[in-house]
Amino acid sequence: DVKVTQSSRYLVKRTGEKVFLECVQDMDHENMFWYRQDPGLGLRLIYFSYDVKMKEKGDIPEGYSVSREKKERFSLILESASTNQTSMYLCASSIGTAIRSAFFGQGTRLTVV
Amino acid sequence: AQKITQTQPGMFVQEKEAVTLDCTYDTSDPSYGLFWYKQPSSGEMIFLIYQGSYDQQNATEGRYSLNFQKARKSANLVISASQLGDSAMYFCAMREVMAGNMLTFGGGTRLMVKP
């Protein structure tokens, strides 16, 4: 089974802190994605990466950055956390061309106080 | 403009009855895929069903079927014989080849199955 693992299930951070959300997948997928999920807004794409060291902005990249130094790991970074970044964050991975579905991690619920 | 629209924020259905969850999409890419995911209260996203833009037949997976109407740009999910365990959020999503295979999601529909 494909496994996408996010490092934390719940996080509470203070405003202004630097926050790292880690995601690891074990199926050698080229594509990895970070979404945030908010009630009524569905999932919105923050960043995605189609290869090591490659990244593309999604719909809402402001306030976030990403890092993909190894194929299996995709990190989301909040340089200076703010309360409006309180949300559920979901990581996903998918195979490059056989695009039948993306596999998701279990989500990280981040609260910024 | 919204690429994926789910107009039903919440739906009730009686156990054992069928239910249709609406999804309309907007794209100019001739090659795209449509997905439905289920998200129970535990938070994980569960892939349910996929329809490719060139598929001639509607996709089916067990109790799930996708009513694909390409000209209308709709991809409604039909769940037959609803079960209590079907209560969850349901998300419609689209992947466009020209957009680099990004998945774009709708706002979701909360389905509640009544005993």
Side-chain angles (χ1 to χ4, degrees):
Chain A
D1 277 355
V2 174
K3 200 160 183 186
V4 180
T5 305
Q6 294 181 228
S7 52
S8 304
R9 191 84 168 92
Y10 299 96
L11 273 180
V12 180
K13 296 291 181 181
R14 294 193 184 278
T15 302
E17 275 193 76
K18 190 168 186 175
V19 182
F20 292 87
L21 303 184
E22 306 285 350
C23 176
V24 177
Q25 49 96 1
D26 65 358
M27 281 300 290
D28 204 35
H29 285 173
E30 289 93 343
N31 297 335
M32 295 188 76
F33 308 82
W34 274 107
Y35 290 88
R36 67 176 279 176
Q37 182 182 7
D38 301 288
L41 298 176
L43 277 72
R44 294 179 292 166
L45 181 65
I46 305 171
Y47 268 96
F48 74 102
S49 168
Y50 52 88
D51 204 348
V52 175
K53 296 192 188 294
M54 307 302 288
K55 60 185 179 185
E56 292 286 342
K57 293 180 180 179
D59 298 319
I60 50 163
E62 297 79 17
Y64 304 94
S65 62
V66 290
S67 171
R68 187 133 181 237
E69 296 297 318
K70 294 185 178 181
K71 194 173 187 180
E72 67 270 17
R73 186 180 296 270
F74 192 35
S75 303
L76 180 69
I77 303 153
L78 287 66
E79 295 289 342
S80 177
S82 63
T83 54
N84 63 12
Q85 293 178 309
T86 292
S87 186
M88 169 72 91
Y89 290 87
L90 287 159
C91 173
S93 74
S94 70
I95 298 170
T97 53
I99 50 169
R100 288 198 62 88
S101 76
F103 296 89
F104 282 82
Q106 78 278 26
T108 297
R109 185 166 293 284
L110 173 68
T111 303
V112 183
V113 298
Chain B
Q2 283 270 51
K3 287 215 168 217
I4 297 281
T5 304
Q6 294 179 252
T7 57
Q8 307 152 313
M11 288 276 289
F12 282 99
V13 65
Q14 198 67 44
E15 192 179 9
K16 299 180 186 173
E17 291 185 353
V19 64
T20 298
L21 306 184
D22 294 342
C23 173
T24 57
Y25 60 92
D26 182 27
T27 181
S28 56
D29 190 342
S31 182
Y32 55 91
L34 297 156
F35 304 79
W36 277 92
Y37 287 87
K38 172 184 179 181
Q39 187 183 45
S41 56
S42 52
E44 77 270 28
M45 295 284 278
I46 303 167
F47 166 71
L48 295 178
I49 197 166
Y50 166 83
Q51 180 86 43
S53 58
Y54 295 117
D55 292 345
Q56 295 296 316
Q57 293 193 321
N58 287 346
T60 60
E61 292 282 351
R63 293 186 299 111
Y64 304 108
S65 60
L66 202 151
N67 184 2
F68 181 44
Q69 298 191 41
K70 196 169 182 177
R72 293 185 177 182
K73 294 189 174 176
S74 76
N76 298 339
L77 177 70
V78 181
I79 306 175
S80 62
S82 298
Q83 301 172 356
L84 296 179
D86 294 335
S87 293
M89 282 292 289
Y90 288 81
F91 291 97
C92 179
M94 176 173 65
R95 176 173 283 148
E96 302 163 284
V97 173
M98 287 197 323
N101 294 325
M102 288 193 296
L103 262 182
T104 304
F105 285 81
T109 296
R110 180 169 295 284
L111 177 66
M112 292 151 281
V113 181
K114 296 187 287 184

